[in-house]
Amino acid sequence: MKKIALEIKVLSMMNHEFIVRYHDYCKHNGSIFIVMRYCPGGSRSLPAQRTGDMHERIKKQGRTPFPTEQVFKWFLQTALVLHYLHTKKVIHRDIKPQNILINGETKEVYIIDWGLADYYKPSEWRVCFLIRRDEVGGSREYTQLQRSGATYK
């Protein structure tokens, strides 16, 4: 419950064009639901309009490279969000292709999945980039080998 409360608190403070806007939350039968802005191209869109997340888009693209201008636009938009977060002293801690949604109409990106977000606390700063010693942060595939328990092969 504490993590979802932090996620809601962080989301409610965010006001950036490339972050999916938070509206409200509600409780129902012991579950908490976060109400956010609708993003065209998400998993509920019609199949012909579905663009999904960056991971799905890369898989769908196959071996054909994306236009350089589009890659630069996505990179810049993601960097702008990260800069905005850092000015707010917030760390997302799970930036990965699956958490970058592509708007099916505008082809702009939205950063999603704020479950691991936290406030930057100078007393807990670590060289291994803001993961406290007592926890593993991020998705296993995108976490440092030392933190994930994986080894080199």
Side-chain angles (χ1 to χ4, degrees), residues 13-118:
M13 291 178 32
M14 298 296 109
N15 183 18
H16 192 278
E17 63 183 313
F18 303 125
I19 295 175
V20 179
R21 184 153 338 273
Y22 163 86
H23 289 291
D24 203 355
Y25 76 94
C26 61
K27 296 178 183 179
H28 180 70
N29 292 336
S31 296
I32 297 175
F33 298 89
I34 298 175
V35 181
M36 301 178 80
R37 177 179 177 257
Y38 170 72
C39 292
S43 62
R44 301 280 185 226
S45 301
L46 297 171
Q49 299 169 332
R50 195 173 297 145
T51 52
D53 61 46
M54 185 66 71
H55 179 73
E56 288 299 319
R57 184 70 187 265
I58 291 168
K59 284 186 353 187
K60 187 177 176 181
Q61 188 76 8
R63 294 186 152 289
T64 308
F66 289 106
T68 304
E69 298 79 21
Q70 184 62 66
V71 173
F72 181 75
K73 181 179 175 183
W74 288 334
F75 176 81
L76 180 60
Q77 291 169 347
T78 304
L80 288 170
V81 170
L82 294 175
H83 174 72
Y84 172 79
L85 293 177
H86 292 178
T87 64
K88 297 286 187 183
K89 304 288 190 230
V90 171
I91 302 122
H92 186 280
R93 299 194 330 162
D94 200 21
I95 296 292
K96 61 182 180 179
Q98 291 89 336
N99 290 339
I100 301 174
L101 187 67
I102 301 174
N103 183 313
E105 294 173 358
T106 65
K107 305 297 186 260
E108 292 178 334
V109 301
Y110 293 107
I111 305 302
I112 60 172
D113 193 352
W114 296 84
L116 295 175
D118 202 352

Side-chain angles (χ1 to χ4, degrees), residues 91-148:
I91 302 122
H92 186 280
R93 299 194 330 162
D94 200 21
I95 296 292
K96 61 182 180 179
Q98 291 89 336
N99 290 339
I100 301 174
L101 187 67
I102 301 174
N103 183 313
E105 294 173 358
T106 65
K107 305 297 186 260
E108 292 178 334
V109 301
Y110 293 107
I111 305 302
I112 60 172
D113 193 352
W114 296 84
L116 295 175
D118 202 352
Y119 292 97
Y120 165 68
K121 300 170 187 104
S123 63
E124 296 179 1
W125 177 263
R126 300 282 184 259
V127 174
C128 58
F129 207 57
L130 301 167
I131 297 175
R132 290 186 288 270
R133 289 184 185 194
D134 61 336
E135 65 183 41
V136 174
S139 300
R140 185 160 198 214
E141 296 84 2
Y142 297 91
T143 302
Q144 305 153 346
L145 288 176
Q146 304 90 320
R147 295 276 177 191
S148 69

